[in-house]
Amino acid sequence: MKHSVSVANHECRTSALYACLGLGVGGNLPVDGALFLEFLPFISGNLLTMLSVWWPVGQLIGSLLAWAFIPNFSCTSYEGCTKEKNMGWRYLVLTLGAITFVMFILRFFCFHLYESPKFLLSRGRQEEAVASVHGIAYKNGAKTWLTNDILNEIGGHAEVHEKETGLTYSQIVGRFFSKFSMERIAPLFANKRMGWNTALLWFCWTTIGMGYPLFNAFLPQYLSQSGGETNSNYITYRNYAITSIVGLPGSILACWTVEIKYVGRKGTMAISTLITGVLLFCFTTSTNSDIQLLCSCLEAFFQNIMYGVLYAYTPETFPAPNRGTGTGISSCLNRIAGLCAPLVGIYAGSANPNAPIYASGGLILASFVAMCLLPIETRGKQTL
């Protein structure tokens, strides 16, 4: 009885820590893309797609570390498996946590991120927007002619907000939650074209949010059973590392294809999504381990193109004052759908081992159809 309670408490603590991890990652991704886009000059718009290359780079580092730790520091069977003999996954988590902490230190103390001038102007904080532009110019060794007076002459005087003093606690709380009103979401549906594009984008993020982990989260498990037999941890994580290496150039290629005439963002995204969905079904057609490895490698390559362009295209279609809201909701829907993926994988996989992969392929193909219907192409256009 005590052992069962101890295990339950351990699982609760682990789940809580993973929830905190997901909260941090989920809150970070949409902000990075939106902020990076608003500082990019028009001629360098495709660099937002290149930003997504760090996702497969991180996956590659994680897979290489898993290949190094898990086969060498894990139990080969349940019998006699103690914590001391099963430290592989713990070494992996500690190493990834240490790398992330170093990145936090560098980002927080070594780099100063300025607030987006577009965002500040949309909130009536004109003087702060001018100061931000001057700070960016100074950081790049340049000078700017922009002043508050010049901005007033160009765009009119900023609205004067009455200073609010003496607010009660309930008024402060009410004002804070008023920021989450429909006023932030309504501009995303300002007209039929914008509304249709927003709805389709959110559908894509939702379907991919479930389809992606249905295959990728269980990929080591699929690779361990490839060829109709149980492979060793060494073979499994070696193949997983190979898959990550082959998938890496996908985001780099996407940075070039998004600027091709008649292809652009929508074409690159739709074609790569279609190929990704087809390759998922191809993975199940053969039990040959080499063919399955080939399919998983190609799937990772085109999947990185798909995700890279979707990651860049999404904030490009939203106006600056509501860009954070639009991308944040996209990420939220993606995460909510991802929470359902393990349930589908467990219950569907118990009936048919290939069922989660079929579901993943179907969801990816559904997002392909939605991408073909997107009405906005952002190639060669200035962001709002």
Side-chain angles (χ1 to χ4, degrees), residues 67-378:
W67 186 17
F69 286 131
I70 294 180
N72 295 314
F73 301 97
S74 299
C75 299
T76 56
S77 64
Y78 289 109
E79 296 181 3
C81 184
T82 61
K83 178 181 177 180
E84 291 71 22
K85 296 179 181 179
N86 196 38
M87 293 293 293
W89 70 270
R90 294 178 174 86
Y91 290 150
L92 175 62
V93 172
L94 288 171
T95 304
L96 293 177
I99 293 173
T100 305
F101 186 73
V102 170
M103 290 182 176
F104 159 74
I105 296 296
L106 293 174
R107 180 168 182 169
F108 193 81
F109 293 103
C110 300
F111 298 96
H112 177 66
L113 287 177
Y114 293 93
E115 183 58 89
S116 163
K118 287 184 179 180
F119 171 80
L120 292 172
L121 285 175
S122 71
R123 295 292 181 266
R125 297 155 63 180
Q126 189 163 292
E127 292 185 2
E128 293 179 59
V130 173
S132 181
V133 171
H134 278 271
I136 296 167
Y138 176 78
K139 192 73 174 179
N140 288 276
K143 294 183 178 180
T144 177
W145 48 265
L146 185 66
T147 64
N148 198 39
D149 292 334
I150 292 176
L151 194 57
N152 286 334
E153 290 296 327
I154 295 174
H157 289 261
E159 295 182 7
V160 178
H161 297 275
E162 185 178 348
K163 189 175 181 181
E164 299 161 351
T165 58
L167 294 177
T168 64
Y169 180 77
S170 60
Q171 289 174 322
I172 294 173
V173 173
R175 187 170 296 278
F176 174 79
F177 281 104
S178 69
K179 297 178 182 179
F180 300 95
S181 66
M182 289 298 295
E183 292 179 3
R184 302 292 179 88
I185 300 177
L188 303 177
F189 298 87
N191 51 61
K192 183 178 179 181
R193 184 167 177 260
M194 176 64 76
W196 185 239
N197 197 84
T198 299
L200 288 173
L201 267 179
W202 287 352
F203 175 81
C204 291
W205 278 100
T206 303
T207 52
I208 292 175
M210 181 177 287
Y212 176 88
L214 273 175
F215 181 74
N216 291 273
F218 299 99
L219 184 55
Q221 178 180 326
Y222 299 142
L223 293 175
S224 68
Q225 300 297 325
S226 63
E229 58 183 24
T230 302
N231 296 314
S232 66
N233 282 338
Y234 180 86
I235 298 296
T236 298
Y237 286 97
R238 181 204 65 184
N239 291 349
Y240 188 58
I242 292 172
T243 300
S244 301
I245 293 171
V246 175
L248 181 60
S251 296
I252 301 173
L253 178 64
C255 189
W256 172 70
T257 58
V258 292
E259 295 297 330
I260 298 178
K261 192 175 182 180
Y262 304 120
V263 178
R265 271 70 160 166
K266 286 172 52 181
T268 301
M269 190 163 51
I271 293 170
S272 59
T273 303
L274 173 63
I275 297 174
T276 299
V278 171
L279 286 169
L280 286 170
F281 285 100
C282 292
F283 184 90
T284 64
T285 59
S286 174
T287 57
N288 186 289
S289 60
D290 293 333
I291 293 178
Q292 289 187 333
L293 176 60
L294 174 63
C295 289
S296 66
C297 288
L298 292 174
E299 187 272 343
F301 178 83
F302 288 102
Q303 170 188 271
N304 285 338
I305 297 177
M306 171 192 73
Y307 239 134
V309 182
L310 181 63
Y311 178 73
Y313 174 84
T314 299
E316 287 180 339
T317 61
F318 298 134
N322 309 95
R323 185 167 289 137
T325 300
T327 54
I329 293 175
S330 300
S331 181
C332 178
L333 293 172
N334 182 268
R335 301 291 169 178
I336 291 173
L339 288 174
C340 302
L343 299 176
V344 175
I346 292 171
Y347 290 106
S350 60
N352 182 351
N354 290 327
I357 306 177
Y358 294 147
S360 176
L363 289 165
I364 297 296
L365 291 179
S367 65
F368 156 72
V369 175
M371 289 173 184
C372 293
L373 299 175
L374 289 168
I376 297 177
E377 171 58 65
T378 57

